[in-house]
Amino acid sequence: MTRSCSPKESLRRVAEDGATLAEQWRNLASLANMHVRKIALGHNERLHRTLSKLKPLLGQTAEAARRGELARQAQDYLRDASERAVLTLDVLRERGNNDIAHEAAGTPPVLLYDYEVILDGRDLSRPVNYFLLKIVPAKGVETRPRKRPYMIIDPRAGHGAGIGGFKPDSQVGVALNNGHPVYFVAFRPQPEPGQTMADVMRAEAEFVAEIRRRHPDAPKPIVVGNCQGGWAALVLAAANPDISGPLVINGAPVAAWSGRLGENPMRYNGGLLGGVVPALLMADLGAGVFDGAHLVSNFEELNPGRNYFGKYYDLFVEPVKGRERFLEFEKWWGGFHFMNEAEIRWIVEEIFVGNKLSRGEARLGGRRLDLKSIRSPIVVFASKGDNITPPQQALNWIADTFTDEHEIRVRGQRIVYMVHENVGHLGIFVSSSIARKEHTEVTSTLKTIEALAPGLYEMTIDDQVGEGDDAHFLVSFHERKIDDLLAIGDNRDEERHFGAVSLLSERGAEIYDMAVRPFVRAAVTATAAETLRNVHPTRARRRLLADANPLMAPVREAARSVERQRKPADPANPFLALEKLWAESIIQTFDFWRDLRDAAHEMKFFGIYGSPLMNRIGASHAYHREQMDPGELGRLPEVEAILLGIDRGGFEVAVIRMLILLADSRGTVRRDRLERSSHMLAKEEPFASLGAEKRAALIREQAIVVEFEPQRAIEVLPRLLPGREDRQRAMQLVETIAGAVDEMEPRTIETLQKMRAALGLPPMFAAQVRPLQDLRESA
C-alpha cells in the first residue's frame, strides 16, 4: 500500500525539485562557460604560437627561392621524408611481428632483468594465473637477505606485467641498487577457469608469506602497487592487516568518483555507457573472458593526438634512433591480457561505478574490506599531470576512510602522500627522472618511515645537492590536515550524482543477467569469440602491418636498401621545420576535437544525472561513509585506557613521548632527523630489544597521549624518569636527534626547555649537541 503525501509534503518536494533544477541549470551554464573559455583560450594560444613560427619560415623559403635553392631543398626533403617513411613502416612491421611472437611465447613480463619463478599461482588450492618472480640483480649489484624485501605488483589493466622494471632506472632498479631483494608479481595472459578477485588476493597474500619465509631475519616486505596494482595492494593489506610492511601506492584509482570539473572525463564513462553492463556483454562475447584490448582502447581515447598520431610522428622524425625505444614500449603496450567475467565485474561494481572500496563497503571473498583496518604505513604517489588517475582519485579515499587527521593518529596510522606537478600516468612507473628522484627518495624514506609519529604527512623534495649520478635531495615531511588534502581538488558536491549511476548499473546488470545474457551466451562459440578478439581494432591495426600480411613483403628489403644509402636532409632545411609545424597542427586538431568531446560528455553527464529525478533515484547510493564525530575520538575505550596510564612507563616510553612532543611542536620533520630517530630506535638499547611490533605499539600509544594530553604528557615525565642519570641521558638522546640548536625552530627550543624544566634539568644552551656515538660510549 503506497503512502500518500500530504499537500504540505508535496509542496516541499516540488520546492526542493525546483531548487535542484535551478541549481542544475546554473551548474550547466557555468560548466559550459568554463569549457568555452578553456578551449578558446588554450587553442587560441597554441594557434598563435604556431603562426609566430610560420612567419619566419615563410621568409626563409622566400629567401631560398630568391637564391634559387628552394627546388633543391624541396627535392632533398622529399627524398628524406620518403626514406623516413619506409624506415618507419619497417619499424611498425617489426612491431606487428613482435606482438605475434610475444603472444606465442605466452606474453612473458617485459622486465629488463633476469628472474626466476618462486611460486606459481596455478599450484595453489584456488589456482590463479599470477606467479611470483625473484629478480636477479645485474652484474655488480648485490642485495642483502637481511634488508627489507620489496614485492612489486604491476597493473593488470589490459596490459601484461613488467612496466615497473622496464628500465635500469626503474622501481626495480632503485630497490636493487639500495641492496633490497626484489620480488615481482606477474601474471599470464589468460585467467584460470573460475578465477576471482578473492582468489587473486589470497594468492598475493601467499606470495608475501613466501617472501617472509625466505627472509626470516628481515623486516616485513614493502609492497609496491602501480595503478590497478595499487588498489590491489590496499585490498591485500585490508584483508590481511598483519602480513606486510609499508605500502607504496603509485597512481592508483581508489576514489573513482573524484576528479576536477573540466579535467577528468574518464570518470563519466560509467554513467554514459551503461555502468557494468558493457563489461558483462564484452565478457560474454569473449566466451566468458574480457579482452584487455577494450581497456587499452579506452586509455588511447583519452589522448588520441598522442596515441594515434604523435608517437608515430616522433618515430617518423628519427626512425633509426627511436626504433629500439619505440619497440620496447610497444611490446608492453600491445601485450593484451584477459580477465574472467567475475573479475572485471568486481572491479567495475566495487570500484569504478560503485566506489565502494573508498567508502568501506566493498566485499571480497565474503568479507568487508575496510581500509581503516590497514596497519602498515602507506605512501601515496600521485600527479596533477595524470589524466588516468588524477590526484583526487588517488587521495580522496583517505578523507572517505578517516574522520580527520586526528583519527589517523589515534589509530596509529602513518600516511604520507606526494603530488608531482606534471608527470603523466605512465611516467610515474617508467620515467627515468621519476625513478632517479621520487622513487629513490621514497625508497630511502621507507627505511625510516616507521619511526615517524602517526599522522597524515605530505612529503616534499625541497632541494637538490650535487649533480648527475651523485645528486641527492633534501626531503621533509609536513603534517597535513584532511582539509589540506581535499584542497588539491574542487569541492566534492558533484559526486552525489554518481549515486544514480551506481543504482542504475545494478538494475541494468540484473536485467541483463535475466533477459539478455542467456541469448548472448547461447549465440557465442569459442571460434566466434576468438574471431572477435582478432578483429578488435586495437589489435588488428598493429598486426595488419606484420609479415603475415603479404602486402608487407617488400618493406623489409626496401628498408635495408634505404639504410645502405640513407642521406638525411640538412637540419636547416626549411621544409623540415614546416613539417614539424604541420605535425603540431595535426596534434592540435586531435586535441581540439578531444576537448569538444570531453566537454560534451561532461555536459551530457550532468544534464542527465544532475536532474531532480536522478538525484532522487540515486539518493540511496550517494551516501558518504558514516564517520565518527571528532569529539568522540577521545572517548574511545582504547584511548581512555592509554590516557589512564599516562604516568606509567620507563626510559623508552619517556624518550618516545619526548620525540613525539618535539615532532608535534615542529609540524615538519626533516628526513635527517627521522633517520637519526630511526637509528636510535632500531639500534640503541633499550629500544632495539623491544622489537618492531612493540616499538610500533609504544609510538602509537605515546602519539595518543600527546594528541589528547600534551601538557600533562610533559608534567608527568619525572615519574617515568625518576633517576637523574636517566633524565640526563634521555634529554641528550632527544637533543641529539633534534640536531644543532641553531637549526631548531623557536617552538622546538621552547618544547625542549619545558621538558628540561619538568625534569629538573638546567636550561639548554646554544652549544653543539653531543653526537650519538659519544652517547653510546658514555652509556
Side-chain angles (χ1 to χ4, degrees):
M1 184 174 178
T2 305
R3 183 178 66 88
S4 60
C5 295
S6 66
K8 185 177 180 180
E9 178 70 12
S10 298
L11 286 173
R12 185 186 65 80
R13 288 191 177 184
V14 169
E16 286 180 356
D17 288 349
T20 302
L21 190 61
E23 180 189 13
Q24 179 190 19
W25 283 103
R26 284 195 303 270
N27 291 340
L28 287 173
S30 175
L31 200 57
N33 182 59
M34 180 185 69
H35 279 296
V36 169
R37 288 175 56 83
K38 180 180 176 182
I39 294 172
L41 291 175
H43 286 280
N44 185 53
E45 183 181 338
R46 289 174 68 176
L47 184 59
H48 276 293
R49 285 200 302 266
T50 300
L51 293 175
S52 67
K53 296 175 185 177
L54 181 61
K55 186 175 179 180
L57 279 176
L58 293 177
Q60 282 182 258
T61 56
E63 178 63 22
R66 188 184 64 78
R67 296 195 308 264
E69 297 177 355
L70 190 61
R72 179 186 58 78
Q73 289 177 338
Q75 184 178 4
D76 289 348
Y77 169 75
L78 289 173
R79 185 198 67 252
D80 175 68
S82 62
E83 289 176 352
R84 287 185 286 133
V86 171
L87 293 173
T88 299
L89 189 59
D90 187 54
V91 176
L92 298 179
R93 177 193 64 82
E94 187 172 348
R95 180 184 70 172
N97 292 341
N98 288 348
D99 285 352
I100 295 170
H102 194 213
E103 183 175 313
T107 321
V110 293
L111 289 164
L112 174 71
Y113 301 87
D114 292 331
Y115 54 81
E116 54 183 297
V117 178
I118 300 300
L119 191 60
D120 193 331
R122 293 182 299 188
D123 299 330
L124 300 177
S125 58
R126 291 283 300 174
V128 295
N129 63 333
Y130 283 66
F131 51 99
L132 180 66
L133 307 176
K134 182 175 183 181
I135 304 298
V136 178
K139 187 176 181 180
V141 176
E142 293 185 5
T143 60
R144 288 174 291 216
R146 294 176 67 92
K147 290 201 77 170
R148 190 192 291 272
Y150 273 64
M151 186 178 90
I152 298 175
I153 306 176
D154 246 15
R156 182 172 165 234
H159 308 95
I163 196 70
F166 192 60
K167 301 177 181 179
D169 289 328
S170 62
Q171 296 167 336
V172 172
V174 167
L176 288 174
N177 290 331
N178 278 273
H180 296 275
V182 177
Y183 295 82
F184 204 91
V185 176
F187 35 85
R188 297 179 177 84
Q190 290 288 346
E192 291 296 303
Q195 174 178 312
T196 66
M197 291 305 299
D199 298 330
V200 171
M201 180 272 292
R202 294 187 191 102
E204 289 170 342
E206 185 57 39
F207 293 165
V208 176
E210 177 63 22
I211 294 171
R212 292 183 66 178
R213 285 192 288 268
R214 288 172 172 268
H215 299 271
D217 299 324
K220 292 178 180 179
I222 293 167
V223 178
V224 179
N226 296 325
C227 188
Q228 178 267 350
W231 58 252
L234 291 174
V235 167
L236 170 67
N240 306 274
D242 297 318
I243 200 169
S244 76
L247 308 177
V248 181
I249 311 301
N250 298 311
V254 183
W257 290 357
S258 296
R260 297 193 70 173
L261 293 174
E263 292 185 12
N264 307 124
M266 196 172 182
R267 61 184 177 141
Y268 306 124
N269 285 352
L272 298 177
L273 299 178
V276 73
V277 171
L280 302 182
L281 176 61
M282 295 299 180
D284 286 340
L285 291 175
V289 177
F290 181 87
D291 188 354
H294 299 309
L295 298 177
V296 176
S297 179
N298 285 341
F299 297 144
E300 290 183 335
E301 286 291 332
L302 283 173
N303 192 355
R306 178 64 192 166
N307 291 307
Y308 297 147
F309 180 82
K311 70 178 181 180
Y312 298 107
Y313 176 71
D314 289 346
L315 177 64
F316 174 70
V317 170
E318 293 184 307
V320 176
K321 185 177 178 181
R323 182 187 195 99
E324 290 305 316
R325 181 179 179 182
F326 179 85
L327 290 175
E328 284 176 359
F329 179 79
E330 289 294 301
K331 185 178 182 180
W332 174 74
W333 190 252
F336 307 118
H337 280 53
F338 304 85
M339 296 183 189
N340 283 337
E341 182 267 348
E343 293 180 286
I344 190 66
R345 183 169 192 161
W346 188 91
I347 292 169
V348 174
E349 289 187 332
E350 303 296 315
I351 297 179
F352 291 104
V353 170
N355 198 35
K356 295 178 182 179
L357 181 61
S358 179
R359 297 186 292 171
E361 294 296 327
R363 304 190 72 84
L364 187 63
R367 70 181 82 178
R368 186 170 72 89
L369 299 172
D370 188 353
L371 301 183
K372 191 179 292 189
S373 66
I374 296 175
R375 299 177 185 173
S376 306
I378 304 172
V379 178
V380 184
F381 185 28
S383 173
K384 294 178 182 178
D386 189 342
N387 65 342
I388 293 178
T389 304
Q392 297 78 22
Q393 291 186 12
L395 297 171
N396 281 355
W397 65 268
I398 302 171
D400 292 339
T401 300
F402 298 97
T403 302
D404 56 18
E405 63 280 0
H406 300 288
E407 184 180 2
I408 295 176
R409 293 179 197 148
V410 166
R411 297 191 180 278
Q413 181 55 273
R414 302 162 184 83
I415 301 178
V416 178
Y417 69 90
M418 180 166 51
V419 181
H420 197 277
E421 283 299 317
N422 50 40
V423 69
H425 185 71
L426 291 178
I428 293 175
F429 321 128
V430 304
S431 170
S432 295
S433 62
I434 296 297
R436 285 192 295 266
K437 186 178 180 183
E438 278 79 3
H439 289 319
T440 297
E441 297 311 311
V442 167
T443 298
S444 181
T445 296
L446 288 170
K447 301 172 185 175
T448 58
I449 194 170
E450 287 166 321
L452 197 63
L456 176 66
Y457 299 86
E458 181 180 7
M459 175 178 169
T460 61
I461 298 179
D462 303 320
D463 197 11
Q464 177 175 332
V465 179
E467 298 292 337
D469 294 337
D470 297 324
H472 64 279
F473 302 89
L474 300 180
V475 172
S476 57
F477 303 89
H478 306 267
E479 284 193 49
R480 294 292 187 242
K481 300 179 179 179
I482 293 290
D483 288 344
D484 298 321
L485 186 149
L486 292 175
I488 296 172
D490 301 323
N491 70 62
R492 305 178 68 185
D493 290 346
E494 80 276 5
E495 291 185 25
R496 71 183 189 276
H497 302 316
F498 289 86
V501 176
S502 178
L503 176 66
L504 293 177
S505 175
E506 292 178 4
R507 299 297 176 265
E510 292 170 359
I511 294 170
Y512 177 83
D513 285 338
M514 292 186 295
V516 181
R517 166 164 279 171
F519 300 101
V520 176
R521 287 185 170 178
V524 174
T525 64
T527 302
E530 183 64 24
T531 301
L532 287 174
R533 282 193 282 271
N534 289 333
V535 300
H536 192 288
T538 305
R539 183 181 284 108
R541 66 171 174 260
R542 300 166 66 97
R543 300 192 177 184
L544 278 174
L545 299 178
D547 285 337
N549 182 352
L551 296 177
M552 295 297 294
V555 172
R556 179 180 175 83
E557 285 307 315
R560 300 295 86 78
S561 176
V562 167
E563 288 172 354
R564 287 192 295 269
Q565 54 189 353
R566 174 86 171 108
K567 188 178 179 181
D570 186 339
N573 190 311
F575 289 99
L576 289 175
L578 286 169
E579 173 196 282
K580 186 175 180 182
L581 284 183
W582 167 80
E584 289 176 1
S585 69
I586 295 295
I587 292 174
Q588 182 174 355
T589 301
F590 270 107
D591 291 348
F592 177 73
W593 289 109
R594 176 204 62 196
D595 293 345
L596 287 180
R597 177 202 67 191
D598 291 349
H601 283 181
E602 191 164 53
M603 294 288 292
K604 188 190 305 181
F605 179 88
F606 286 108
I608 296 171
Y609 292 100
S611 67
L613 174 63
M614 287 298 182
N615 274 262
R616 199 175 297 284
I617 288 174
S620 62
H621 285 56
Y623 57 85
H624 289 287
R625 176 175 182 156
E626 185 175 341
Q627 295 183 329
M628 186 181 302
D629 186 292
E632 296 177 4
L633 291 171
R635 296 192 291 274
L636 289 172
E638 55 186 314
V639 172
E640 290 181 339
I642 290 169
L643 294 179
L644 284 174
I646 192 172
D647 57 353
R648 293 195 292 270
F651 184 87
E652 60 271 26
V653 170
V655 171
I656 288 173
R657 181 183 298 179
M658 292 159 77
L659 290 175
I660 294 173
L661 283 163
L662 277 187
D664 193 60
S665 71
R666 287 191 300 260
T668 299
V669 182
R670 288 207 320 253
R671 193 175 64 198
D672 58 342
R673 289 172 177 156
L674 187 61
E675 288 172 348
R676 291 195 292 268
S677 178
S678 176
H679 183 275
M680 181 198 75
L681 293 174
K683 305 296 182 182
E684 304 298 315
E685 293 297 346
F687 311 100
S689 59
L690 292 174
E693 303 271 344
K694 180 63 174 176
R695 285 198 301 271
L698 283 181
I699 291 173
R700 184 201 171 202
E701 289 171 4
Q702 296 313 305
I704 289 174
V705 168
V706 172
E707 174 74 17
F708 292 99
E709 296 282 357
Q711 187 59 40
R712 191 152 178 260
I714 296 176
E715 293 172 356
V716 299
L717 283 175
R719 301 185 191 178
L720 307 182
L721 298 166
R724 187 169 183 81
E725 287 187 9
D726 280 346
R727 295 181 183 185
Q728 289 176 333
R729 182 169 175 246
M731 282 305 309
Q732 287 172 344
L733 283 171
V734 170
E735 290 170 357
T736 297
I737 289 169
V741 175
D742 55 5
E743 295 181 1
M744 293 182 189
E745 298 174 6
R747 287 185 60 191
T748 302
I749 295 175
E750 181 184 356
T751 302
L752 287 170
Q753 299 287 35
K754 286 181 179 179
M755 290 190 291
R756 278 184 163 273
L759 293 172
L761 298 176
M764 64 183 296
F765 300 97
Q768 186 171 353
V769 179
R770 297 166 65 193
L772 193 59
Q773 181 62 34
D774 291 351
L775 293 177
R776 286 201 296 268
E777 290 174 357
S778 65

